């Protein structure tokens, strides 16, 4: 048994200090980034915010809406199995499957800009071997792999063939892994440490989970994330999968009882590590996206970053005492 008593921080534990700036307007800020990936050698240009591959959020309608902003959608995993062509072929699509989906990903790889393997626990030898296999079968594709939260495993996945590593265990609003298992890592520190490890090898990371406001997305980018993935912030819109009942919509984690019942994943050894909540109906996602992007642009003006790429270099984090937690809705 070991105890690491180094201070580790979540997004809510910090603020960003403003700095003198010569910028005149939010319109001076460019949020687009161009990434060139280590193994595939491919390039991608766009706003690096991603809709999570969750049932209620990763829909064709969400993809159409976010593509107008040059943002990425990760289709819900059941589309890979049931209807991989539902999204058409897209520059802003990232299809992720499980370890057993490698051959399906290979067959349909040309439909998506990014493909990858997405598991709750990215620390198993089996998962590393699966990343190697996917790289061997798809040598020219940009591959995403996760989830992990430590620098050593980030490096191992990149060396195994991943271009982008997905970072986050337990920070999501409908994830209960930290409560059920005691496993996790404060998200801000995870992003900082994994980004440093990935960039040292020429790789990239996605900060996955823990964002409840545009300010949290800003902190993810400021900590070094190349992409930020959100789920709950995009829930409750017309583009989501679900009905509006009494002014609310259902939003659930992919390890929740709702997801297990929908996809038949129930078994005697797998417990629930997610929950279902009710979120207010919020109409078209376009207005929410504009509000998010406005917040990111505004943050850049506060620290003098004319480009999103420069944000992390312009950032000084300040530790704060913050016990307030934002929730999306009541459990159902």
């Amino acid at each position: 048994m070991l105890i690491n008593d180094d201070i580790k921080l979540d997004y809510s534990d910090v603020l960003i200090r403003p700095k003198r700036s010569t910028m005149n307007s939010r319109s001076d800020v460019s949020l687009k980034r161009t990434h060139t990936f280590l193994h595939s050698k491919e390039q991608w240009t766009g706003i690096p915010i991603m809709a999570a591959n969750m049932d209620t959020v990763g829909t064709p309608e969400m993809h159409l809406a976010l593509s107008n902003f040059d943002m990425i959608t990760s289709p819900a995993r059941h589309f890979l199995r049931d209807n991989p062509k539902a999204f058409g072929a897209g520059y802003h699509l990232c299809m992720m499957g499980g370890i057993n989906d490698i051959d399906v990903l290979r067959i349909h790889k040309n439909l998506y800009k990014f493909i990858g393997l997405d598991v709750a626990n990215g620390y198993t030898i089996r998962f590393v071997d699966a990343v190697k296999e996917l790289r061997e079968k798809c040598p020219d594709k940009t591959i995403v792999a996760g989830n992990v939260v430590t620098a050593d495993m980030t490096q191992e996945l990149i060396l195994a063939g991943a271009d982008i590593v997905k970072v986050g265990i337990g920070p999501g609003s409908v994830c209960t892994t930290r409560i059920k298992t005691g496993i996790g890592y404060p998200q801000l520190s995870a992003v900082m440490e994994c980004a440093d490890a990935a960039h040292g090898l020429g790789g990239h990371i996605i900060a996955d989970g823990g964002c409840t406001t545009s300010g949290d997305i800003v902190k993810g980018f400021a900590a070094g994330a190349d992409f930020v993935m959100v789920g709950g912030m995009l829930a409750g819109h017309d583009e989501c999968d679900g009905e509006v009942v009494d002014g609310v919509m259902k939003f659930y984690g992919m390890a929740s009882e709702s997801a297990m019942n929908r996809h038949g994943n129930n078994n005697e050894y797998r417990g629930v590590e997610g929950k279902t909540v009710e979120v207010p109906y919020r109409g078209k996602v376009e207005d929410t996206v504009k509000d998010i992007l406005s917040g990111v642009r505004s943050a850049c003006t506060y620290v003098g970053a004319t480009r999103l790429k420069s944000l992390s270099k312009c950032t000084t984090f300040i530790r704060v005492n913050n016990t307030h937690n934002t929730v999306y809705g009541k459990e159902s």
Side-chain angles (χ1 to χ4, degrees):
M1 183 271 295
L2 297 173
I3 296 179
N4 183 340
D5 58 2
D6 292 344
I7 294 173
K8 305 297 179 184
L9 302 171
D10 266 318
Y11 293 143
S12 60
D13 296 319
V14 299
L15 290 171
I16 297 173
R17 190 182 74 189
K19 297 180 180 178
R20 185 178 182 275
S21 171
T22 59
M23 299 175 64
N24 297 316
S25 169
R26 297 179 188 182
S27 62
D28 295 337
V29 177
S30 172
L31 295 184
K32 288 192 176 182
R33 293 209 58 181
T34 296
H35 292 304
T36 302
F37 302 106
L38 176 65
H39 298 290
S40 71
K41 310 305 180 185
E42 289 188 323
Q43 278 194 345
W44 175 85
T45 298
I47 296 177
I49 298 175
M50 311 173 72
N53 52 322
M54 305 171 77
D55 283 355
T56 51
V57 173
T59 66
E61 294 78 13
M62 186 66 72
H63 169 54
L64 288 174
L66 296 189
S67 291
N68 291 329
F69 294 91
D70 291 323
M71 293 165 58
I72 300 169
T73 300
S74 298
R77 274 174 54 175
H78 65 81
F79 284 103
L80 180 62
R81 179 185 66 246
D82 300 332
N83 190 5
K85 298 181 180 180
F87 293 75
Y91 183 77
H92 299 303
L93 281 174
C94 175
M95 176 60 84
M96 288 179 282
I99 290 176
N100 296 324
D101 295 321
I102 291 175
D103 287 332
V104 182
L105 286 167
R106 177 183 57 80
I107 292 170
H108 299 291
K109 64 181 181 179
N110 292 331
L111 294 174
Y112 314 105
K113 180 64 175 178
F114 311 89
I115 61 173
L117 299 177
D118 176 42
V119 299
N121 178 6
Y123 284 81
T124 66
I125 296 300
R126 185 184 178 210
F127 182 65
V128 175
D129 289 341
V131 174
K132 292 178 181 178
E133 181 182 351
L134 184 60
R135 172 54 64 197
E136 290 172 359
K137 292 184 175 181
C138 304
D140 300 325
K141 289 300 294 184
T142 302
I143 292 176
V144 179
N147 281 33
V148 299
V149 289
T150 53
D152 58 341
M153 206 65 200
T154 298
Q155 292 173 326
E156 184 164 354
L157 291 176
I158 291 172
L159 293 173
D163 294 289
I164 309 169
V165 175
K166 202 145 70 78
V167 175
I169 293 180
S173 62
V174 287
C175 180
T176 60
T177 296
R178 294 179 180 180
I179 297 171
K180 295 281 287 189
T181 69
I183 302 295
Y185 208 98
Q187 185 69 350
L188 180 77
S189 292
V191 170
M192 293 176 69
E193 294 169 23
C194 293
D196 184 59
H199 297 164
L201 293 175
H204 296 74
I205 71 158
I206 299 168
D208 176 21
C211 294
T212 61
T213 64
S214 59
D216 292 334
I217 295 175
V218 170
K219 292 172 187 177
F221 284 127
D226 304 290
F227 302 86
V228 174
M229 177 174 280
V230 294
M233 291 184 69
L234 299 178
H237 294 95
D238 291 337
E239 293 79 4
C240 295
D241 180 4
E243 296 181 356
V244 181
V245 179
D246 296 329
V248 299
M249 296 180 72
K250 294 288 181 68
F251 174 58
Y252 56 85
M254 294 311 294
S256 66
E257 186 174 359
S258 296
M260 290 181 181
N261 290 339
R262 177 172 181 173
H263 302 296
N265 293 332
N266 307 78
N267 53 53
E268 62 183 15
Y269 60 85
R270 180 174 181 174
V272 172
E273 292 184 22
K275 60 184 178 180
T276 301
V277 300
E278 294 177 343
V279 300
Y281 169 64
R282 295 190 280 171
K284 294 288 185 183
V285 76
E286 177 182 359
D287 292 336
T288 295
V289 171
K290 288 180 179 177
D291 186 64
I292 290 171
L293 299 184
S294 174
V296 179
R297 284 195 178 91
S298 182
C300 289
T301 65
Y302 272 105
V303 298
T306 57
R307 300 180 299 163
L308 182 59
K309 180 180 180 179
S310 304
L311 178 60
S312 62
K313 296 177 182 179
C314 297
T315 293
T316 300
F317 285 115
I318 304 168
R319 285 186 61 198
V320 297
N321 294 321
N322 190 345
T323 58
H324 176 70
N325 291 312
T326 302
V327 296
Y328 288 111
K330 61 182 180 179
E331 292 185 41
S332 62

